[in-house]
Amino acid sequence: MSIVRIISFTEAGYQLSCKMQDCLQERAEVVLYSGKNQVAERHAEVCAVSDGLKNWCSEVFDKSEVLIFVGACGIAVRTIAPFVNSKCTDPAVLVADEQGKHIISLLSGHLGGGNQWTLFLAQKLQADPVITTASDVNEHLAVDVWAKQQGWQIADLTLAKHAAAAIVAGEKLPFYAEDMQIQNLPKELNLFSSKESFQEMISKRAGEPIAGIVVSIYDHWQKNVLRLVPKRVILGIGCRKEKDPAEVETQVRQVLENYHVAVESIAKLVSIDLKAEEAGILRLAERWGIPFETFSTEELQLVPGTFAESEFVKKTTGVGNVCERAAVAALPEEAQRQPCWICHKQAENGVTVAMVALPL
């Protein structure tokens, strides 16, 4: 559940905070704060901010999905300024006047969901929503919001900004989705049905800030093409016991580079349960923010298919191929008999890697 923190500074602000809490209680965990000790002392459920707003913000900024300031915009701006980092990671920040007449989306309107939270609260409180992002006020496609809704990762935020600027200017951008059908394509995109025709078009636009948009798990596209990356890749991995974590990551990166697979496309790492505590794999999963799942020897033995077997690995683990079998085991059962291989076992320097694509 999302964590929403609301800070107010007066009794009237506290009363509005309570109304917001009632509106949000079914979709978020709400914590109330007050910048005035007198208000906090009167209301037991309110946390007092007694060590200064900057110190408070340093503690909660990265731990919140939404921060709401009930008061002046200037207070909010000065408080959050030292902690604003990236639209990919910053929380949504909203501001409301203490009479609840206006709800303002101040920060992370798109990727942080600030605009949606603003619209939701404004509707509940019968307030005026204040949204200033150009794509929204002009009723154009917001590429970052659309990508988030589809579960795609934006590979380059600078190109996303160029795409947004082109769309707001009325340009229809070339678009291609590799190996998938897109339902309800936004009107701002010009769909190309073949990879060849799309590549021909983007090559003509090589000198433009943005040539086009592609949905693909691969990273070998023209540099000024915005890549939206679906998480479709299952990466099976095995390694020698206590293999150096840096060497594990180096080898995995090398395989990804060899096959032009984007890191952002990896949905999960998978292996045998004997590797559940393997430091090199755990560190890789943590650094890349990717789930790590393991299967028992018995589960891997039941995986259908023909695999490149190693007698040494079989004696050690009970199965002759860990990375390929684990990758297939992670697929839905109906896809296991005909997996879509990106690469079969790649073995180097005590690390083995295999990749399959999740079905669409």
Side-chain angles (χ1 to χ4, degrees):
M1 184 173 281
S2 299
I3 299 178
V4 177
R5 304 180 197 273
I6 307 175
I7 184 165
S8 60
F9 305 93
T10 65
E11 182 65 28
Y14 161 75
Q15 297 298 332
L16 180 60
S17 297
C18 292
K19 291 179 182 178
M20 290 182 174
Q21 186 176 38
D22 290 341
C23 296
L24 295 167
Q25 61 184 353
E26 291 186 1
R27 60 184 296 178
E29 176 186 342
V30 181
V31 185
L32 302 183
Y33 298 85
S34 179
K36 295 292 183 182
N37 287 338
Q38 301 93 315
V39 175
E41 288 169 1
R42 287 197 295 269
H43 306 286
E45 74 278 17
V46 177
C47 303
V49 177
S50 54
D51 197 25
L53 288 177
K54 293 286 177 64
N55 288 331
W56 169 77
C57 196
S58 70
E59 293 178 3
V60 304
F61 192 79
D62 292 331
K63 300 174 184 176
S64 309
E65 277 73 37
V66 187
L67 291 179
I68 303 176
F69 288 78
V70 180
C73 276
I75 295 175
V77 170
R78 286 190 290 272
T79 300
I80 68 173
F83 312 105
V84 174
N85 181 37
S86 165
K87 66 187 296 182
C88 288
T89 57
D90 292 338
V93 178
L94 279 56
V95 179
D97 65 275
E98 64 178 34
Q99 294 302 316
K101 294 180 179 179
H102 307 284
I103 310 292
I104 304 168
S105 178
L106 187 68
L107 184 72
S108 293
H110 284 167
L111 290 182
N115 292 354
Q116 292 302 312
W117 287 101
T118 295
L119 292 170
F120 175 81
L121 274 175
Q123 181 184 35
K124 292 289 186 180
L125 298 171
Q126 295 185 322
D128 291 327
V130 180
I131 293 173
T132 59
T133 41
S135 55
D136 295 275
V137 298
N138 290 290
E139 298 184 347
H140 287 311
L141 168 69
V143 174
D144 47 4
V145 173
W146 184 54
K148 183 179 179 179
Q149 290 170 344
Q150 305 299 320
W152 303 330
Q153 299 292 307
I154 297 174
D156 188 318
L157 287 175
T158 299
L159 286 176
K161 291 177 183 178
H162 290 317
I167 288 170
V168 168
E171 191 172 350
K172 201 166 184 177
L173 290 175
F175 175 84
Y176 175 68
E178 191 166 45
D179 300 328
M180 62 193 307
Q181 297 290 323
I182 303 297
Q183 302 296 323
N184 302 318
L185 186 74
K187 64 182 186 301
E188 293 86 351
L189 302 179
N190 182 20
L191 178 64
F192 283 74
S193 58
S194 77
K195 184 176 181 178
E196 293 73 19
S197 60
F198 177 73
Q199 288 179 319
E200 182 180 351
M201 175 56 73
I202 61 175
S203 67
K204 294 177 181 177
R205 295 170 55 89
E208 300 291 328
I210 179 77
I213 300 175
V214 68
V215 179
S216 174
I217 64 173
Y218 297 103
D219 62 9
H220 60 333
W221 294 90
Q222 190 172 296
K223 287 186 178 180
N224 64 337
V225 170
L226 173 61
R227 293 185 292 110
L228 305 180
V229 187
K231 284 192 171 293
R232 288 190 56 211
V233 176
I234 303 294
L235 191 146
I237 185 169
C239 67
R240 291 197 194 112
K241 187 177 181 180
E242 298 181 352
K243 183 68 178 174
D244 179 71
E247 292 182 0
V248 173
E249 181 170 345
T250 296
Q251 181 55 26
V252 173
R253 285 191 180 277
Q254 186 60 59
V255 175
L256 293 175
E257 182 179 333
N258 291 347
Y259 287 87
H260 305 289
V261 173
V263 171
E264 300 92 339
S265 71
I266 302 174
K268 65 174 70 172
L269 303 177
V270 292
S271 191
I272 193 168
D273 58 6
L274 293 174
K275 295 297 177 183
E277 302 300 324
E278 187 67 47
I281 302 176
L282 290 174
R283 175 180 158 180
L284 183 65
E286 181 181 4
R287 278 173 53 83
W288 290 6
I290 300 171
F292 176 41
E293 182 179 345
T294 62
F295 299 93
S296 68
T297 299
E298 292 73 23
E299 288 174 311
L300 295 184
Q301 287 172 338
L302 293 174
V303 172
T306 302
F307 306 95
E309 301 285 321
S310 162
E311 284 302 318
F312 173 77
V313 173
K314 191 170 185 177
K315 288 180 182 178
T316 306
T317 67
V319 291
N321 185 315
V322 168
C323 62
E324 289 184 352
R325 285 182 177 273
V328 176
L331 292 172
E333 187 175 352
E334 63 272 14
Q336 291 183 5
R337 294 196 175 277
Q338 291 185 310
C340 180
W341 288 101
I342 298 169
C343 73
H344 287 277
K345 183 172 77 171
Q346 306 293 300
E348 188 71 35
N349 194 23
V351 180
T352 60
V353 173
M355 292 184 286
V356 295
L358 285 164
L360 296 170

